[in-house]
Amino acid sequence: MMTFVNAFLVCGGISLAGQLIYDNSKLTAGHITSLFVVLGAALDVFGLYDKLLTFGGAGAALPITSFGHSLIHGALAAAQENGLIGIALGMFDLTAAGITSGILFAFLAAVIFKPKS
């Protein structure tokens, strides 16, 4: 039961932070999304995002901050194996499926539905 509560608190807290930033600043949704990706990456560099994942489970894995965590996590792991070239290659190991799915489903939605201009 506590797993669900922790997931709700973490994901809800991240969402609340985003909404508060959006309501109380002139930042757009794109700015806030980028900010959260960078924040997730920064937390992973300092080893804090893994602790957040342990505590919050899916509540930490679902928000956009997890994408930044995945980018840096893959880059750092590949850098240990392959050196500097591993940073560029490893960044997309953990995120390739998500990026590919996003592109594919966006393409299919554009083909199936009639976009408005």
Side-chain angles (χ1 to χ4, degrees):
M1 180 66 178
M2 283 306 294
T3 302
F4 298 116
V5 172
N6 292 345
F8 174 79
L9 290 175
V10 170
C11 192
I14 293 170
S15 301
L16 176 66
Q19 189 65 46
L20 288 173
I21 293 169
Y22 185 74
D23 288 344
N24 298 308
S25 72
K26 293 185 180 190
L27 295 176
T28 65
H31 290 112
I32 297 168
T33 301
S34 299
L35 175 70
F36 278 16
V37 169
V38 171
L39 180 64
L43 288 173
D44 188 57
V45 167
F46 295 110
L48 299 175
Y49 208 87
D50 288 329
K51 293 177 183 176
L52 188 63
L53 282 169
T54 302
F55 176 77
L62 288 177
I64 193 68
T65 51
S66 179
F67 183 69
H69 158 72
S70 296
L71 282 173
I72 295 300
H73 204 75
L76 292 177
Q80 288 179 343
E81 288 182 25
N82 304 322
L84 287 177
I85 193 72
I87 293 173
L89 299 174
M91 219 183 294
F92 301 107
D93 283 350
L94 295 175
T95 58
I99 293 170
T100 304
S101 299
I103 292 169
L104 178 66
F105 290 123
F107 173 75
L108 291 175
V111 168
I112 295 170
F113 300 103
K114 194 174 195 176
K116 295 181 182 178
S117 40

